[in-house]
Amino acid sequence: MNLRSPSIDNLNHLLVASPERFGFSMGCVKHLLLRPYAPCAVQTFTDGDYVCCQKFQALCRREYAKLMFSSLKTHLSSITIPFEIMNENLKHAADLLLQTAIQFLAIDISYCQLLADCPLFSQDTPLKLFENLRALAIYYPETDKGIDCLCGLLARCRLKFFHLEHQSDQYSAPGAIPKNLLLSLKKQTGLEVLALNGIHHDVFETSDNSHSATLDDKAIWPKLKALYLRTCNLLYLKQLLKFKDIQVLSIQEAKQGACRVTAEVAGYIATCGRLRAIDLQQYEFASADLVIIARSCPQLKYLRIGKILDAEGSTFTKNGFLSMIRSLPFLEYLGILSRFRIDGVVFKEISSCCPRLAFLELPKACADLSLMTLYDESPLSCLRGLELSTIWFERPKHLSQPDMLQSLAEKWRTVFPALMVTPCAKDEYWRYPDGEETSDVDMVYQKPRIDFNDEGTSWLFLRLKLWRILGYEDTIFCLRKMKNIWKRQFEVETFGWPVVPFEAFLAPYMHATASRNDDMDFEL
């Protein structure tokens, strides 16, 4: 079973076939994930909700529940139940769940009420309930559903990791987090990871209310290592100065009209010299400020930002890009949304300055390359994912000849040995025709404008031929899957547990290491 559990359907078959074999197999499970083959969508007046319509037989009878949890005691480290299991209220297993020695618990918020109704929960023995629990993830469909019970659960735990996420898409607008929940979180002084994904609430905002649970106090979470927010007023990032150990900063959305990072705010970020990950994709940076951040945070492994502007708002250039990467020797993931041109010099600098780079995400950048420049390149042996708007090879019709094309493919493999996916996403929607190419001229020295549409030109046909010879996968989903797995591994390496988004359970093929839906291995 490879230290984790298959789907509910497969578990039911195993239990019905042989309870003894079921108990023996569950004794090998380290991560218990109770998920359906496909969740059911339930529409409510305010939002959509997802539930599990399959019954889990081990929770239907007390003797089966005892068998399962007694077997799980051997290796069990985490339990994940992301969907409410319909027609099954865990009444046979609530007390057994409370007494497990798990360190990680991820559940639908409805189970907080079930745990609160358990007689053990009301006893004055808080340290005996979830005494080893250090990481808690809650997925919820409505803003205030079960929040009071969640606060009661928090009072009985000493957490290092807390993740709260709305079960809706990224474009929805759920309400703010209730103050009682923020007050409960404030008491978790040992918190190292705070992830409020899909939540519209600015936890940095100050207030004159004496009962406010904002970050306006001094060192509420002195050990905080990672902060994931949906939105934040950048002026309040001055609070980062209080977190001496902050290593991960992620803000999903920019507030309307406030997407430009000023020099003052960039200075606050630069003071966090231990940062290993910055994810501010919706924000614009000045090139000079970004260089300062790069030089101040040399341990960065993950950097994903929006547009970059040079002085006086001019377009970002190759020189600004090179100035930044020269200060980041440990970088493994780089994403920039600026539109600019790169060439062989950039790849040569990357191989020299960022030898560990695994993903280069430049979806709006254009690359000017030639066969000769590839011969001068050093191999980027770690680069598994490359995203570019387009690649323009010099003399495309000449390179399309069979012998030249084979030489180009061999040299490309030498420079990018780990690439498996088409670098230009738009190319996957095209197929090279069996007939003759178009008769556009074979430009030797002229370079197209950065906004040039190369549809139907020799540049496009050459790329399609090259990707076909290299055997690259056409789908961009393969690249997204590799990036998601890399992120989970990075989080486990940095603070012990992954921040698993709710979408990972709706579309597991984008986050799991196995290709079959019945045998998914989430990176927990």
Side-chain angles (χ1 to χ4, degrees):
M1 304 244 318
N2 197 24
L3 303 182
R4 42 80 180 162
S5 56
S7 64
I8 288 178
D9 188 54
N10 288 344
L11 287 174
N12 287 337
H13 287 311
L14 181 60
L15 177 61
V16 172
S18 173
E20 293 77 13
R21 182 66 180 174
F22 173 82
F24 173 78
S25 299
M26 294 302 282
C28 302
V29 173
K30 185 176 182 180
H31 305 291
L32 178 62
L33 170 60
L34 300 182
R35 61 172 183 86
Y37 182 83
C40 303
V42 179
Q43 191 67 31
T44 64
F45 289 105
T46 57
D47 207 341
D49 188 10
Y50 293 91
V51 298
C52 173
C53 296
Q54 291 177 283
K55 270 193 173 184
F56 184 37
Q57 298 295 333
L59 297 181
C60 293
R61 296 172 60 179
R62 177 69 176 180
E63 57 267 32
Y64 286 162
K66 284 185 175 180
L67 171 64
M68 182 180 72
F69 280 100
S70 62
S71 302
L72 288 170
K73 285 183 178 179
T74 307
H75 297 103
L76 189 64
S77 176
S78 72
I79 295 179
T80 302
I81 314 177
F83 307 102
E84 180 181 2
I85 303 177
M86 299 300 291
N87 304 318
E88 181 53 62
N89 59 11
L90 283 180
K91 62 182 179 181
H92 300 296
D95 60 326
L96 301 174
L97 178 60
L98 283 170
Q99 298 178 77
T100 57
I102 58 173
Q103 297 181 358
F104 181 97
L105 177 65
I107 55 174
D108 182 276
I109 198 170
S110 61
Y111 292 114
C112 293
Q113 179 66 55
L114 298 175
L115 295 175
D117 292 339
C118 179
L120 283 178
F121 196 84
S122 59
Q123 295 178 4
D124 296 329
T125 56
L127 295 182
K128 293 183 180 181
L129 304 180
F130 286 145
E131 57 183 342
N132 294 326
L133 188 66
R134 295 295 178 266
L136 178 64
I138 301 293
Y139 305 101
Y140 73 107
E142 299 177 10
T143 303
D144 55 352
K145 180 182 177 181
I147 292 296
D148 291 338
C149 296
L150 173 57
C151 293
L153 180 59
L154 288 173
R156 288 163 171 77
C157 302
R158 290 183 290 192
L159 298 177
K160 293 183 177 181
F161 175 108
F162 182 75
H163 174 200
L164 182 67
E165 183 164 338
H166 196 273
Q167 293 181 4
S168 58
D169 59 54
Q170 59 180 329
Y171 303 107
S172 63
I177 303 176
K179 289 184 177 180
N180 59 336
L181 176 56
L182 285 174
L183 284 169
S184 298
L185 289 175
K186 186 177 179 181
K187 297 176 182 178
Q188 298 290 332
T189 56
L191 207 62
E192 296 180 2
V193 180
L194 177 61
L196 304 178
N197 293 337
I199 311 297
H200 274 303
H201 189 93
D202 197 340
V203 296
F204 281 105
E205 188 172 0
T206 57
S207 172
D208 294 333
N209 189 342
S210 59
H211 299 289
S212 174
T214 64
L215 298 183
D216 194 35
D217 302 73
K218 183 181 296 184
I220 294 179
W221 302 303
K223 299 180 181 180
L224 195 69
K225 293 182 179 180
L227 183 63
Y228 295 80
L229 301 175
R230 177 160 182 170
T231 186
C232 175
N233 187 327
L234 291 183
L235 293 178
Y236 298 138
L237 285 185
K238 186 176 182 180
Q239 305 284 347
L240 288 175
L241 300 175
K242 299 176 181 177
F243 305 127
K244 305 300 182 183
D245 296 326
I246 191 76
Q247 297 181 31
V248 178
L249 175 63
S250 174
I251 304 177
Q252 297 175 358
E253 295 180 3
K255 288 194 172 183
Q256 187 175 7
C259 63
R260 181 70 183 272
V261 177
T262 64
E264 179 184 8
V265 174
Y268 298 150
I269 299 175
T271 57
C272 305
R274 300 188 63 184
L275 276 173
R276 302 181 69 198
I278 298 177
D279 191 352
L280 299 172
Q281 193 184 23
Q282 300 297 322
Y283 294 90
E284 298 178 357
F285 282 80
S287 179
D289 294 336
L290 195 58
V291 171
I292 293 175
I293 292 176
R295 291 174 179 173
S296 303
C297 307
Q299 300 182 50
L300 276 176
K301 298 181 68 174
Y302 181 98
L303 179 60
R304 192 163 176 253
I305 54 178
K307 294 182 179 180
I308 304 177
L309 303 175
D310 278 344
E312 300 179 358
S314 60
T315 306
F316 185 54
T317 63
K318 177 186 71 175
N319 293 334
F321 180 85
L322 294 176
S323 299
M324 177 185 64
I325 64 172
R326 286 167 182 158
S327 302
L328 300 173
F330 302 107
L331 199 63
E332 295 185 19
Y333 190 120
L334 176 61
I336 299 176
L337 288 182
S338 280
R339 184 189 296 272
F340 64 105
R341 304 182 81 113
I342 62 175
D343 54 23
V345 175
V346 170
F347 290 111
K348 193 171 184 178
E349 285 288 328
I350 290 176
S351 64
S352 175
C353 302
C354 308
R356 303 182 183 182
L357 193 67
F359 298 97
L360 182 59
E361 183 183 310
L362 307 174
K364 295 185 178 181
C366 305
D368 298 308
L369 297 176
S370 69
L371 183 58
M372 293 305 298
T373 58
L374 288 179
Y375 273 102
D376 294 334
E377 299 291 344
S378 299
L380 285 85
S381 55
C382 294
L383 193 65
R384 290 181 284 155
L386 173 63
E387 293 181 69
L388 296 169
S389 174
T390 188
I391 300 175
W392 290 315
F393 287 99
E394 188 177 288
R395 303 187 65 185
K397 291 183 72 71
H398 175 66
L399 291 178
S400 296
Q401 298 175 12
D403 56 339
M404 297 302 298
L405 184 60
Q406 189 62 36
S407 298
L408 177 62
E410 291 175 358
K411 193 56 191 174
W412 182 275
R413 283 196 187 100
T414 302
V415 178
F416 305 104
L419 280 187
M420 297 182 293
V421 183
T422 303
C424 306
K426 66 178 182 180
D427 289 356
E428 69 176 81
Y429 301 105
W430 292 91
R431 293 295 182 271
Y432 182 72
D434 294 331
E436 294 293 326
E437 299 180 20
T438 56
S439 57
D440 58 321
V441 295
D442 191 11
M443 297 183 180
V444 181
Y445 301 106
Q446 295 182 2
K447 294 182 180 179
R449 294 170 55 89
I450 196 169
D451 56 353
F452 176 74
N453 183 3
D454 61 8
E455 177 182 339
T457 68
S458 295
W459 283 302
L460 174 61
F461 294 138
L462 174 60
R463 293 198 304 272
L464 295 180
K465 286 181 177 181
L466 180 60
W467 310 149
R468 183 168 57 184
I469 291 177
L470 294 169
Y472 284 168
E473 295 193 34
D474 291 333
T475 175
I476 198 65
F477 292 113
C478 179
L479 180 58
R480 289 181 57 189
K481 176 178 175 178
M482 288 191 297
K483 292 192 293 186
N484 287 332
I485 293 175
W486 182 91
K487 290 178 184 177
R488 302 291 85 80
Q489 292 173 338
F490 167 77
E491 289 164 349
V492 171
E493 172 192 330
T494 304
F495 40 78
W497 299 280
V499 180
V500 182
F502 185 71
E503 68 168 7
F505 305 106
L506 298 178
Y509 52 86
M510 295 296 297
H511 297 260
T513 55
S515 57
R516 293 181 60 238
N517 195 41
D518 282 344
D519 197 26
M520 293 298 181
D521 186 6
F522 288 94
E523 290 295 325
L524 293 180

